[in-house]
Amino acid sequence: MDPTTLAAIYAVLAAFGLVVTDTYVNQNTMYLDTTVAESVKEQGYEKYVVDGIFISEVKKITKTPTLIAAPTIQSSKTKPISVALAEFANLEGALGAMQSLMGIVPPKMVTSVIVEDPTKRVQVVQNGPDGRVAEYVVAESETLKLVLTGYDPKSGYFDIQMSAHSKDDDFDHLIRDAAFQAVLKLDPYLALLYDLNGRAKNNEDVDPSRVMIDKEINDLPGSLTHDHRALLENLRGIMGLLDNDVATARADFQKSIESDPKLSVGYLNLAFLDVHEDRYEEALKILEKVIYPTYWPMTNNRTLLASAYTIKGVAETELERFKAAEQSFRHAAWLNPNSSEVYVYWSRMLKKSARPTEADQKMIKAKENSKYFENYPETALLYFWLTEEGNQPLARRTKL
């Protein structure tokens, strides 16, 4: 194709703002195109290293186990069309100039992100302290800075900065921070879920997660119902359970279903607390909202439905309705054959009903299924063990 024609195409792209937001080849994809300063290369951070660290961290964040949200971004090394056109037509300079005119910082290290909403874009930029990119050199007294700049149609242009105070600081950490901040901006729920889960797994203080979640909630519209706010309030409830603050957890789970009356995990988590506090009839009433009528349940996620029937079976066990409990556990196992928790609680029920041999068989099955075990930081049943005594603190779930 004639470069003149390409230049005309590129001009059209620019006229529609597609240079700044890149051209949308596919939705749900993060496009990465990185250039690295020579001073950074000298520290071992070639382009492929930066790409690898950034993509690896984004993938780790977006693969956080979740039953109620799908990631809106994923990474790819596919080059955006606008960049490819610019390179082919020798218009890289024009690209930089138009980006600058449109409010984008002249880049050294650029990561273009396109998400499910194809009008979002983010850049990761490394700049010299004086703004003269070509002459930048990292020295002991200088600051190595990563700047995330981009555009989100809901909030407009944004700019997030992270820095290290010398060339000896951990540049890997800066890149990973950049990846987290990019996901936090473009898919905040998944980033916050990842952060909370990581802190809980490492037995760290979850207060930093609480601060970020509260900020996200406060920035949301004050409408009576809001599905995103409901997810975050549910996460706050999980944090309450991590702190063994059941009263606060209950209040947050209640808020979550008020913000979104269709949020199945909110009801499941309230029912979990009712069983934990020996309010079995109340738990059964709440669970009815999730699992009945069976031909049109609140959720079609088999793992969540299995959780509902498992909690139901535990409540029925404590009420000594052993026949009903066995039916609930059997249905839960049918819905989620790889579950370990179903067989643990089923085994408890069989022991209570004086069937020790069958109880041992169910526990063997539970241990076999523990190879499939995975924590889900949104669902109390899949994150904590239900205690047999209501006055006992909750214990985090681990493999058997």
Side-chain angles (χ1 to χ4, degrees):
M1 184 179 291
D2 185 347
T4 305
T5 305
L6 281 171
I9 294 172
Y10 198 72
V12 171
L13 290 175
F16 283 95
L18 296 183
V19 172
V20 125
T21 58
D22 287 322
T23 303
Y24 317 125
V25 184
N26 292 303
Q27 294 182 350
N28 202 38
T29 303
M30 173 179 287
Y31 296 97
L32 188 63
D33 184 36
T34 306
T35 58
V36 181
E38 287 300 321
S39 56
V40 177
K41 288 182 182 178
E42 290 170 5
Q43 304 300 317
Y45 291 91
E46 295 282 350
K47 170 182 166 58
Y48 74 91
V49 175
V50 175
D51 287 1
I53 295 171
F54 193 95
I55 289 176
S56 175
E57 191 67 13
V58 167
K59 284 183 176 179
K60 187 163 64 173
I61 296 169
T62 56
K63 286 182 179 178
T64 302
T66 174
L67 292 170
I68 56 178
T72 58
I73 59 176
Q74 60 189 25
S75 57
S76 168
K77 283 198 174 184
T78 307
K79 189 167 293 188
I81 283 180
S82 62
V83 174
L85 284 172
E87 290 178 354
F88 190 81
N90 294 317
L91 288 171
E92 298 97 317
L95 171 62
M98 282 184 281
Q99 286 178 331
S100 297
L101 287 171
M102 293 176 180
I104 303 300
V105 178
K108 254 189 181 179
M109 186 172 71
V110 181
T111 303
S112 298
V113 179
I114 298 176
V115 298
E116 191 171 29
D117 180 344
T119 55
K120 290 181 178 177
R121 177 181 189 261
V122 70
Q123 288 186 317
V124 182
V125 181
Q126 185 215 335
N127 264 356
D130 59 0
R132 293 179 296 165
V133 175
E135 298 181 15
Y136 178 57
V137 177
V138 180
E140 289 289 346
S141 60
E142 290 181 327
T143 297
L144 185 65
K145 183 179 292 185
L146 290 178
V147 182
L148 276 75
T149 65
Y151 178 76
D152 177 345
K154 294 179 182 177
S155 56
Y157 285 96
F158 60 89
D159 184 298
I160 303 166
Q161 299 190 20
M162 293 157 294
S163 60
H165 298 296
S166 79
K167 66 181 180 182
D168 294 326
D169 279 331
D170 186 358
F171 193 54
D172 283 36
H173 186 70
L174 282 180
I175 299 170
R176 289 190 173 94
D177 273 355
F180 177 78
Q181 292 296 333
V183 179
L184 182 62
K185 188 66 185 180
L186 301 172
D187 193 341
Y189 176 71
L190 209 55
L192 293 167
L193 187 68
Y194 166 82
D195 186 73
L196 173 61
N197 190 45
R199 293 179 187 280
K201 286 171 69 174
N202 295 323
N203 294 314
E204 296 174 356
D205 182 9
V206 298
D207 277 346
S209 294
R210 184 178 285 109
V211 169
M212 287 191 289
I213 289 173
D214 286 347
K215 181 182 183 305
E216 184 70 18
I217 290 174
N218 291 335
D219 288 345
L220 292 173
S223 54
L224 290 177
T225 59
H226 197 289
D227 54 356
H228 181 53
R229 185 176 66 233
L231 295 178
L232 296 171
E233 289 165 339
N234 183 69
L235 274 192
R236 275 192 56 93
I238 296 294
M239 282 191 291
L241 297 184
L242 287 168
D243 292 336
N244 272 301
D245 185 350
V246 174
T248 297
R250 179 179 291 279
D252 283 320
F253 292 143
Q254 186 63 45
K255 286 179 185 176
S256 75
I257 61 175
E258 289 170 2
S259 292
D260 183 3
K262 296 181 180 179
L263 184 66
S264 57
V265 290
Y267 294 100
L268 293 180
N269 291 339
L270 281 173
F272 177 95
L273 281 186
D274 279 336
V275 172
H276 173 65
E277 296 182 320
D278 300 340
R279 292 198 290 266
Y280 308 118
E281 294 289 1
E282 290 88 337
L284 293 174
K285 288 178 183 177
I286 290 175
L287 291 167
E288 288 179 0
K289 300 177 185 294
V290 180
I291 61 179
Y292 295 122
T294 54
Y295 57 83
W296 195 353
M298 181 175 286
T299 176
N300 59 5
N301 183 294
R302 294 176 72 89
T303 302
L304 288 178
L305 275 177
S307 297
Y309 277 99
T310 301
I311 298 170
K312 180 173 179 285
V314 174
E316 290 163 340
T317 297
E318 296 303 318
L319 292 167
E320 297 189 355
R321 300 173 188 171
F322 298 130
K323 185 175 181 180
E326 185 146 33
Q327 290 177 341
S328 295
F329 291 134
R330 184 171 285 111
H331 196 68
W334 172 75
L335 285 165
N336 185 11
N338 294 333
S339 168
S340 57
E341 66 275 0
V342 171
Y343 291 99
V344 169
Y345 298 120
W346 197 344
S347 176
R348 285 186 189 178
M349 182 276 291
L350 292 168
K351 282 184 180 178
K352 284 179 180 287
S353 57
R355 296 157 64 185
T357 301
E358 294 173 79
D360 290 342
Q361 291 172 346
K362 295 301 183 231
M363 188 55 70
I364 290 171
K365 180 63 175 175
K367 290 178 179 177
E368 289 176 357
N369 276 4
S370 67
K371 64 186 175 184
Y372 304 112
F373 169 79
E374 190 162 31
N375 273 144
Y376 287 93
E378 305 146 317
T379 313
L381 183 75
L382 303 177
Y383 217 51
F384 302 91
W385 286 115
L386 263 171
T387 58
E388 294 186 90
E389 299 292 336
N391 60 356
Q392 298 296 313
L394 290 167
R396 278 290 313 280
R397 282 199 56 185
T398 57
K399 288 187 177 182
L400 298 174

